[in-house]
């Protein structure tokens, strides 16, 4: 290992371990770098059902979107890991301007309902289509009735 380090012109960057659950929420619309990195660590791709998009960067393909829309005079800690998810601009517009709905029952788990009533669960492992059965709609309603998870910090 020592020989490899000295003989290979290795470029090594040492970074502290990031635990996404310990990143403090903020009371602003803007997302600080530490929070942005925590969301990217937890979910490196889009949280939209079946989206192939990846790369959360400044000016990149994905923006971090508030699951529950940010309100200027709303409650504290609106910008937190459990209320953010990466989306492309097109996916964000679908969520904002059409009948797509999303809920985040826990950080990193997004439950979507399409305009036609199809329910999907999206995690960092991909999309699971629950369909439009009575059971899928009970899952949707149960998540809606559950209290929001408190943020860490």
């Amino acid at each position: 290992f020592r020989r490899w380090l000295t003989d290979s012109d290795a470029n090594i960057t040492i970074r502290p371990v990031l635990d996404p659950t310990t990143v403090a929420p903020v009371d602003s619309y803007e997302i600080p770098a530490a929070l942005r990195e925590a969301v990217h660590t937890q979910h490196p791709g889009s949280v939209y059902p079946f989206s192939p998009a990846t790369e959360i960067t400044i000016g990149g393909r994905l923006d971090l979107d508030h699951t529950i829309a940010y309100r200027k005079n709303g409650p504290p800690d609106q910008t937190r890991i459990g209320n953010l998810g990466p989306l492309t601009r097109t996916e964000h517009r679908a969520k904002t301007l059409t009948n797509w709905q999303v809920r985040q029952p826990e950080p990193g788990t997004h439950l979507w309902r399409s305009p036609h009533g199809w329910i999907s669960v999206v995690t960092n492992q991909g999309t699971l289509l629950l369909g439009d059965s009575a059971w899928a709609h009970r899952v949707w309603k149960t998540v809606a009735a559950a209290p929001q998870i408190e943020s860490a910090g």
Side-chain angles (χ1 to χ4, degrees):
F1 184 70
R2 181 180 297 162
R3 185 178 303 139
W4 177 77
L5 286 174
T6 57
D7 294 345
S8 69
D9 275 340
N11 254 344
I12 298 173
T13 303
I14 298 173
R15 295 185 186 171
V17 174
L18 176 67
D19 179 359
T21 63
T22 63
V23 177
V26 295
D27 293 333
S28 69
Y29 179 77
E30 296 301 321
I31 303 164
L35 191 52
R36 184 173 295 280
E37 186 177 349
V39 172
H40 178 68
T41 298
Q42 187 175 51
H43 218 300
S46 172
V47 298
Y48 196 79
F50 300 106
S51 176
T54 60
E55 298 177 25
I56 301 172
T57 59
I58 296 172
R61 291 181 48 131
L62 296 174
D63 296 325
L64 292 184
D65 180 67
H66 286 85
T67 304
I68 299 171
Y70 181 86
R71 294 187 326 233
K72 186 173 180 131
N73 295 316
D77 299 345
Q78 293 179 76
T79 302
R80 64 184 186 280
I81 197 164
N83 193 37
L84 294 170
L87 295 173
T88 67
R89 297 278 166 94
T90 302
E91 294 163 351
H92 170 74
R93 286 186 197 106
K95 176 190 148 222
T96 306
L97 302 175
T98 68
N99 288 331
W100 278 94
Q101 296 177 318
V102 63
R103 296 178 174 152
Q104 194 171 169
E106 63 180 39
T109 300
H110 291 76
L111 190 67
W112 287 87
R113 185 167 67 179
S114 77
H116 301 291
W118 287 72
I119 311 294
S120 299
V121 177
V122 180
T123 69
N124 60 7
Q125 300 299 304
T127 302
L128 174 63
L129 181 62
L130 301 181
D132 67 348
S133 67
W135 178 81
H137 289 281
R138 279 195 304 274
V139 170
W140 178 261
K141 289 178 184 176
T142 300
V143 167
Q148 288 289 310
I149 292 180
E150 294 299 317
S151 56

